[in-house]
Amino acid sequence: MRAASVSRRTAETDVAVSIALDGTGKAEIATGVGFLDHMLELFARHGLFDLSVKVKGDLHVDQHHTTEDTGIALGQAIVQALGDKKGITRYADIHLPMDETLTRVALDISGRPFLVFKTAFPTEKIGVFDTELVREFFQALAINAGLTLHVETLYGENSHHIAESCFKGLARVLRHAVSVDPKEGGRVPSTKGTL
C-alpha cells in the first residue's frame, strides 16, 4: 500500500499526518478547526484515502497557522506516499457541482508546484473560519506535494458550498491522478523518465 506519515513541529503548530492513497475513505481528523476537519473528512471520503490528521496549533492567535501547516504536512505525506510515481495516471480534471456552485479542478502530478486559484467567496467567514484560508491550504498542499493545481469556481453563491466543491474536486482529481494505469506498465508517465 502506498502510504506515508509526516510529523511537523514549529513554534506555532504540532502536526501529524498519515495518508494511505489506496484506502477506503476512512478519516480520523482533529485539527481544532471544525470547518477544516469537515473539509478534510470530505477529502478523505471522496478521494478514498485513509487519512489521519492531528494538530495542536496556536488557535488563540487565529486559524491561519493550523490550516497552512496542515496543508504543508499533507502535501509532504502525499509526495512520500507516491514514491517514484511509476505507473500513475498523473493528470486528472473534473467539474464538481455542489448545489448552485460549480468548480473546475485540474491537476498534474508534475513535480513542478504551481497553484492557479480563481475562486471568490461572497463572505469573509464560514462560521468562524476565514474563507481566505481555503486558498492558503491549497497553496501549501500544491507546493509541498509538487502539484500543478488549477481551481476555478465558475459560479456559486454560498461560501460553504464553494469551499466544499473545491475540496471535493481536489479529492476526486487526486484520486484519479494517483491511480495506477496498467497501460503504463510501471513506467513514469513522462518523456523525461522522472517527475
Side-chain angles (χ1 to χ4, degrees):
M1 183 176 281
R2 298 173 299 165
S5 296
V6 168
S7 295
R8 172 184 165 82
R9 178 177 282 184
T10 71
E12 299 165 340
T13 61
D14 186 357
V15 183
V17 171
S18 297
I19 189 167
L21 299 177
D22 305 304
T24 61
K26 181 174 60 176
E28 295 179 14
I29 314 294
T31 67
V33 179
F35 186 75
L36 181 59
D37 289 357
H38 178 45
M39 293 299 104
L40 291 173
E41 288 164 358
L42 293 172
F43 171 77
R45 176 62 185 88
H46 291 278
L48 294 180
F49 309 125
D50 289 344
L51 180 64
S52 173
V53 179
K54 308 293 182 203
V55 186
K56 291 181 183 174
D58 57 354
L59 296 178
H60 62 285
V61 175
D62 66 9
Q63 299 175 347
H64 186 110
H65 299 141
T66 294
T67 303
E68 182 178 35
D69 289 4
T70 299
I72 290 171
L74 179 56
Q76 291 171 347
I78 289 168
V79 78
Q80 286 183 30
L82 281 169
D84 60 16
K85 303 182 183 108
K86 287 183 177 177
I88 65 168
T89 300
R90 180 178 170 178
Y91 296 99
D93 64 272
I94 194 170
H95 284 81
L96 197 294
M98 177 67 197
D99 294 348
E100 86 297 342
T101 298
L102 185 66
T103 296
R104 174 174 51 219
V105 183
L107 173 75
D108 176 11
I109 303 175
S110 62
R112 296 184 309 277
F114 200 91
L115 175 68
V116 175
F117 193 83
K118 294 184 176 183
T119 293
F121 293 92
T123 61
E124 292 183 3
K125 291 189 178 289
I126 302 168
V128 297
F129 184 82
D130 293 326
T131 52
E132 67 181 10
L133 295 180
V134 175
R135 185 191 191 287
E136 293 301 317
F137 176 87
F138 276 71
Q139 175 78 11
L141 179 77
I143 295 299
N144 287 276
L147 307 177
T148 299
L149 179 59
H150 293 249
V151 180
E152 182 177 15
T153 298
L154 304 178
Y155 45 84
E157 299 174 5
N158 179 288
S159 292
H160 189 126
H161 295 166
I162 291 169
E164 192 164 325
S165 69
C166 293
F167 276 86
K168 284 180 176 177
L170 172 66
R172 296 296 296 204
V173 296
L174 189 62
R175 171 181 165 180
H176 182 68
V178 303
S179 67
V180 175
D181 181 351
K183 291 180 76 174
E184 278 293 348
R187 299 173 300 174
V188 173
S190 171
T191 56
K192 298 179 184 72
T194 185
L195 289 171

